[in-house]
Amino acid sequence: MLKDNLIKVKERVECACSKVKRDPSDIEIIAVSKGRPFSDIREVFSSGISDIGENRVQEASLKYSISDLPVRWHMLGHLQGNKVKEAVKIFDLIHSVDSLKLAREIDRKAAEISKVQDILIEVKTSYEQNKFGFQPEELVVAINDISGLRNLRVSGFMTVAPILQYSEDTRVYFRKLHLLREELKEVFSYNLKLSMGMSDDFEIAIEEGADIIRIGRAIFEGEDA
Ligand SMILES: *Cc1c(COP(=O)(O)O)cnc(C)c1O
């Protein structure tokens, strides 16, 4: 049952928070519903989750069009230029801004509908191939450029840790994002959130300072999925 899975996830969040003396109510849980029917979104919503994550615009668009729920939609996957127009219509927060070109396109399309689009900047914290995101060294320049775009609001950073056999090994990547945020805090006065941690590694991410965790399988399939 989704409800029971969610209770378990919340217990795990509380446990991780108590280790590092954080308040569990400061952690935003996004239910990642990619590949799941809309009825599953309804079910998590009725269990108290109102943040929904998707990684493809087309799939999100279908669910959005039938949704009668006051949920917040989060875009987590790589966003192609030709999907930006639709994405700015749907999403409250785009986590996956991974290039300046994309940032400019989002700004342009958001301006067309007079929206200020909330975004997170995706950062490559590991050196795997085929991964999207800015290199840490590029961040200061990137944020400076993006800050000049009037229809974007940078709310923080997102990262995806590599898939590793032992979740403990993901700690260095989360710590890296946290350190980057602390460094950039001195340059940018406002609060930047960290979106990091998925089903297999969210406890570690919380210990390392995650503000937003993105949970798919642990909610929709259960702990042993
Ligand atoms: C699928 C996905 C998640 C959720 O992953 P689970 O392992 O199912 O919890 C989180 N973030 C991104 C970017 C994803 O694509």
Side-chain angles (χ1 to χ4, degrees):
M1 283 295 294
L2 282 188
K3 209 182 185 103
D4 300 320
N5 295 343
L6 202 53
I7 289 170
K8 286 196 191 115
V9 166
K10 285 189 174 161
E11 282 169 0
R12 288 170 64 188
V13 168
E14 280 166 23
C15 190
C17 281
S18 73
K19 269 196 185 170
V20 289
K21 308 221 160 22
R22 296 188 63 189
D23 182 347
S25 66
D26 289 340
I27 312 290
E28 287 175 41
I29 300 174
I30 296 179
V32 183
S33 54
K34 63 185 181 211
R36 316 280 167 183
F38 185 74
S39 56
D40 279 5
I41 295 179
R42 195 179 289 292
E43 210 174 326
V44 284
F45 179 74
S46 69
S47 305
I49 294 279
S50 45
D51 288 273
I52 301 299
E54 290 283 339
N55 71 342
R56 298 183 56 196
V57 174
Q58 202 170 6
E59 184 179 341
S61 181
L62 283 171
K63 291 173 185 171
Y64 178 83
S65 70
I66 57 169
S67 175
D68 52 355
L69 305 172
V71 294
R72 283 169 43 86
W73 296 88
H74 297 259
M75 174 59 178
L76 309 179
H78 175 64
L79 185 52
Q80 289 169 322
N82 61 355
K83 301 281 166 62
V84 169
K85 186 175 180 178
E86 181 68 9
V88 299
K89 262 193 245 162
I90 299 173
F91 294 106
D92 296 285
L93 182 61
I94 298 176
H95 293 229
S96 46
V97 176
D98 54 13
S99 72
L100 211 48
K101 188 168 172 233
L102 177 61
R104 292 202 180 103
E105 185 62 12
I106 295 172
D107 179 63
R108 215 170 4 250
K109 293 294 191 251
E112 282 176 13
I113 57 168
S114 305
K115 178 182 184 184
V116 176
Q117 177 69 56
D118 258 321
I119 62 158
L120 302 178
I121 294 178
E122 182 168 359
V123 183
K124 251 187 199 173
T125 46
S126 62
Y127 292 94
E128 287 173 301
Q129 285 182 328
N130 301 328
K131 268 189 68 178
F132 297 107
F134 288 91
Q135 300 287 357
E137 313 78 76
E138 299 171 328
L139 277 184
V140 171
V141 172
I143 299 193
N144 257 322
D145 288 350
I146 292 174
S147 304
L149 301 172
R150 296 177 58 190
N151 290 80
L152 291 190
R153 184 187 303 116
V154 178
S155 300
F157 301 124
M158 183 273 248
T159 199
V160 180
I163 295 163
L164 301 168
Q165 188 176 2
Y166 302 106
S167 60
E168 180 58 36
D169 293 339
T170 58
R171 189 179 295 277
V172 288
Y173 306 104
F174 298 139
R175 186 166 292 173
K176 191 186 266 180
L177 196 66
H178 190 172
L179 288 174
L180 283 168
R181 200 252 318 255
E182 296 312 297
E183 283 169 28
L184 291 164
K185 245 186 195 165
E186 297 174 7
V187 189
F188 305 95
S189 52
Y190 53 98
N191 227 21
L192 295 163
K193 287 185 181 180
L194 301 180
S195 165
M196 56 188 198
M198 308 172 23
S199 293
D200 291 331
D201 55 24
F202 69 83
E203 284 110 325
I204 313 266
I206 289 172
E207 287 174 35
E208 296 301 328
D211 301 293
I212 304 172
I213 56 175
R214 312 178 303 264
I215 313 295
R217 288 166 303 133
I219 291 176
F220 294 104
E221 295 171 17
E223 244 176 352
D224 305 321

